[in-house]
Amino acid sequence: MPAPDSISRIPSKIGRLLRRLVPARWHASTPDPVLAEALGPWASAASDIRDHLGTIFLETVLSRPRLIVELGTRGGVSTRALLAAAEVADAHVLSVDLADCSGVELPQRFRPRWSFVRADDVAFAGKGFADFCTGRGLPARAEAILIDTSHEYDHTRAEIAAWAPRLAAGGALLFHDTNMAAWFRRLDGRAEPGRDNARGVIRALEEFLGKRFDERTFFVDRAQGYAVWHVPWSSGFTVLRKLD
Ligand SMILES: C[S@@+](CC[C@H](N)C(=O)[O-])C[C@H]1O[C@@H](n2cnc3c(N)ncnc32)[C@H](O)[C@@H]1O
């Protein structure tokens, strides 16, 4: 008869074997019909932001937005997730990019909820943003602000300084690319080439929050009046929710 000790070790041995034979593979899925409609083919297409689209949608809905700001639009993938949240919350999305992204392909039904401004995002945070809000009869505040631009340290610092004061109470600052490296892992376990940017975004966040983080881990935290949560996969995504 095997010793009780060796019996108790069986589950961990099986676990080790499974880990070797069947690597962890999770996938992002899109059960919400509005989000699925807004994303269209992007719900399953390979992109560095795909694993975060559900988070962008949900955190924005949870912000009870009237105005949602997107800094960094490019092909409009994150725009689609934000537009889905705007549709659910009856809000508006303002996208800002250095490049002219006004012609990006977006589902027609969501287009009336979208405005695009071609500008440097830091410069636009001042009078440009205030004027835009006045024109729509809104206070110069956004309930959700997604930052996905250069990912450079100095620029991210400037973005936080310019846009954190524009965040409404209870709102969320959302950051992509908070765990950048020469290679990144997707949620499904695949490795893709990335870019080592010397911790540009997370370093700027550390400075803002007065904390050090290990961005290769999943973590939650509280600092400087924000609830913080971070996931490390797909170049990292970090949410700062402003506590009342
Ligand atoms: C990573 S892409 C954005 C991807 C987009 N969020 C998506 O999901 O498809 C970065 C974008 O930031 C823009 N960008 C870089 N620096 C900027 C700045 N200072 N102000 C505004 N946009 C900027 C670039 O033109 C580029 O389109």
Side-chain angles (χ1 to χ4, degrees), residues 29-44 53 57 76-77 79-85 87-88 105-113:
S29 64
T30 318
D32 186 284
V34 180
L35 179 60
E37 181 189 350
L39 294 181
W42 289 104
S44 53
L53 294 170
F57 169 72
V77 182
T79 318
R80 289 170 175 250
L82 295 173
L83 279 170
E87 179 70 20
V88 169
E105 202 189 314
L106 296 170
Q108 214 46 44
R109 179 162 92 83
F110 298 89
R111 276 225 167 230
R113 297 200 175 274

Side-chain angles (χ1 to χ4, degrees), residues 20-143:
R20 215 170 311 138
L21 297 178
V22 192
R25 281 181 189 281
W26 288 281
H27 296 269
S29 64
T30 318
D32 186 284
V34 180
L35 179 60
E37 181 189 350
L39 294 181
W42 289 104
S44 53
S47 82
D48 63 344
I49 203 161
R50 182 184 72 170
D51 288 336
H52 305 303
L53 294 170
T55 304
I56 292 171
F57 169 72
L58 187 70
E59 289 292 334
T60 304
V61 170
L62 287 172
S63 302
R64 299 177 183 276
R66 294 171 76 192
L67 181 63
I68 299 161
V69 169
E70 176 188 57
L71 308 176
T73 307
R74 198 168 57 192
V77 182
S78 51
T79 318
R80 289 170 175 250
L82 295 173
L83 279 170
E87 179 70 20
V88 169
D90 192 19
H92 196 79
V93 178
L94 165 63
S95 297
V96 181
D97 200 296
L98 278 178
D100 182 6
C101 304
S102 56
V104 293
E105 202 189 314
L106 296 170
Q108 214 46 44
R109 179 162 92 83
F110 298 89
R111 276 225 167 230
R113 297 200 175 274
W114 190 55
S115 298
F116 175 78
V117 171
R118 184 178 188 181
D120 172 80
D121 61 349
V122 174
F124 181 75
K127 186 170 175 329
F129 180 65
D131 288 349
F132 175 88
C133 293
T134 304
R136 298 194 70 90
L138 292 169
R141 294 276 181 279
E143 285 74 21

Side-chain angles (χ1 to χ4, degrees), residues 164-189:
R166 296 299 197 188
L167 186 69
L173 288 171
L174 312 172
F175 295 85
H176 188 214
D177 293 300
T178 43
N179 179 26
M180 289 179 77
W183 288 85
F184 70 85
R185 283 249 177 212
R186 295 188 339 197
L187 193 55
D188 65 8

Side-chain angles (χ1 to χ4, degrees), residues 9-26 185 188-189:
R9 279 200 294 270
I10 288 174
S12 85
K13 281 184 180 164
I14 294 174
R16 239 175 293 149
L17 188 68
L18 276 177
R19 207 164 63 215
R20 215 170 311 138
L21 297 178
V22 192
R25 281 181 189 281
W26 288 281
R185 283 249 177 212
D188 65 8

